[in-house]
Amino acid sequence: MARNERCFSAVRLLRRCSTTANSEKDTLGRWLKEWVAVPQVVAPEGTEPPTALSWLRRRGPALPESALHKLFRQQTVRVYDPATQRVGRVSKGRQLAPGATLLLPRAAVAAAASGREGAAPPGSDAASGGAGSAGSRGRALAGQQVQAWLAQLRSSLLHQEADFLAINKPAGLACQGGTGLALSLDCLMGEAFRDVPGVLASQLRLVHRLDKQTTGALLLAQNPDAAAWLAAAFKQGSLDGAGSSSSSSSGAAGRKAAHAAQPASIRKTYWAVVARGEEGEPGAALRTPGQLGGGRGWLPRSGCVRLAVPSSKETGEALPAETRYRVLHQGSHLAWLELRPSTGRKHQLRLHCAHGLGAPILGDSRYGQVRSGAQAAALATVQQAGGGAAAGRSEPPLFLHCRQLLVRRPGGRQAAVQVTAPLPAPWCALLEQQGWPLPPERSARPAAA
């Protein structure tokens, strides 16, 4: 009798499992007629669950970064939760449980993949504003601009390895597309590096950004796994000494465990030329006298700016931010700084220079101003030195340059890579004008242990 009861229980359990599996299959099956499923979420033991955006970057279709953000902005991304067997909307920052499945509308994926994200493609009649001869001239001009950018990007390659490319981003090119931006690094990088041996152009992913006018070292992930750990490394901050670890365990076993637990880290070093205030100028120095030292507009040799910056979201929230700085050279009107941000907030360095040091970055029309005739003359002189004339740009240069990235891979088993971005022509012209020494240029090398 007991044996029969156990048999009946086993049969009921099998039926329930079969019913659950069929229900899950039916739920997903209905959605998959018009939606694309991303592979199920997997979170290795000891790691945080991925966010919807990071998992989409890692395992979703190869789409431009701007297209991924647009899908979330339009609230078209869905997630299937196997625990509840329900499908619902998901935000880009939501962490996903193992086994969850992201769903994307097929039409939106097809439109983004073909470059039809709501903006007319460069060179089309719609983009050039007319038809006939005027449209032809517009298409020809757009085509010339595209080719100029592609050539500039191809010549900007600093370092290549299996996980990422490092490039020297030129001024005037936005990292991501948006309103009024027909061209961006995101939409050009696949074509620019398509013929580079060892590069799978369709897999290139943005993992961090520089402002449109900012130049310097920028990394492009070469595969989804690299995109995940690089994005996490940029997100966690850039603390000096990051990547070094200590362990209370002794011996080889302790060192092995410490290396295995060591996360990826990236240390960012920027150079900036800032416009110092004139002696006696009202409001020239926004810093409190004595707080950072250096009266009469002169900056102290080194220091740390801790100043909250507005969130990029429309919440009005202020986010903590920290930047360490060192004065490399200082003249009567300008100063050349080394900046090491410990956090990665939007416009952090520009705000910290303008409002934390009272010395806005030269050429920053948003947070600064030309304070003297000497500064105006310096800008006019260096603008003649280049700054991307090949691409048909005339904006004054912004003297903010990502000089160096120190990349430590997860686990710490491989040597760190130090990428150094050479200075663009306007920088070289300005340094010569100020009588400051030009630095020796090296692109990439293994970092010292």
Side-chain angles (χ1 to χ4, degrees), residues 228-249:
W229 68 258
L230 283 168
F234 277 106
K235 184 178 180 181
Q236 77 172 9
S238 178
L239 295 174
D240 285 342
S244 62
S245 62
S246 60
S247 174
S248 58
S249 303

Side-chain angles (χ1 to χ4, degrees), residues 258-427:
H259 279 306
Q262 186 175 357
S265 65
I266 296 174
R267 188 178 71 190
K268 297 170 283 187
T269 302
Y270 288 78
W271 282 354
V273 174
V274 298
R276 288 183 40 245
E278 300 293 309
E279 182 179 351
E281 177 190 354
L286 300 180
R287 59 187 179 279
T288 302
Q291 182 181 8
L292 295 174
R296 299 187 178 183
W298 288 85
L299 298 174
R301 287 182 175 274
S302 63
C304 182
V305 177
R306 295 182 180 91
L307 181 68
V309 301
S311 168
S312 57
K313 301 177 182 178
E314 296 179 0
T315 60
E317 179 187 8
L319 302 174
E322 178 181 290
T323 302
R324 296 186 179 276
Y325 75 92
R326 183 166 65 98
V327 177
L328 301 179
H329 292 278
Q330 192 161 192
S332 57
H333 302 283
L334 304 174
W336 175 8
L337 307 182
E338 176 186 270
L339 305 171
R340 285 192 173 174
S342 300
T343 49
R345 311 302 185 194
K346 183 177 180 180
H347 293 178
Q348 174 180 323
L349 298 181
R350 295 164 66 179
L351 281 163
H352 278 188
C353 287
H355 299 305
L357 295 175
I361 295 173
L362 187 64
D364 190 346
S365 59
R366 181 165 184 170
Y367 300 108
Q369 58 181 338
V370 175
R371 288 173 164 168
S372 70
Q375 292 171 8
L379 271 178
T381 299
V382 299
Q383 196 168 357
Q384 297 173 2
R393 300 186 309 279
S394 59
E395 302 102 315
L398 173 69
F399 283 87
L400 178 62
H401 180 75
C402 184
R403 174 63 174 175
Q404 197 173 86
L405 294 175
L406 177 65
V407 183
R408 298 186 186 274
R409 300 170 182 82
R413 293 186 179 88
Q414 294 177 284
V417 173
Q418 183 171 284
V419 178
T420 301
L423 293 174
W427 267 83

Side-chain angles (χ1 to χ4, degrees), residues 83-143:
T84 62
Q85 298 182 24
R86 292 182 178 179
V87 174
R89 287 191 177 95
V90 60
S91 63
K92 65 181 180 182
R94 175 178 159 185
Q95 290 186 316
L96 303 177
T101 301
L102 288 176
L103 300 168
L104 308 174
R106 291 184 183 276
V109 171
S114 63
R116 294 180 290 104
E117 298 180 66
S124 67
D125 285 342
S128 58
S133 59
S136 299
R137 287 193 297 272
R139 287 193 298 273
L141 178 60

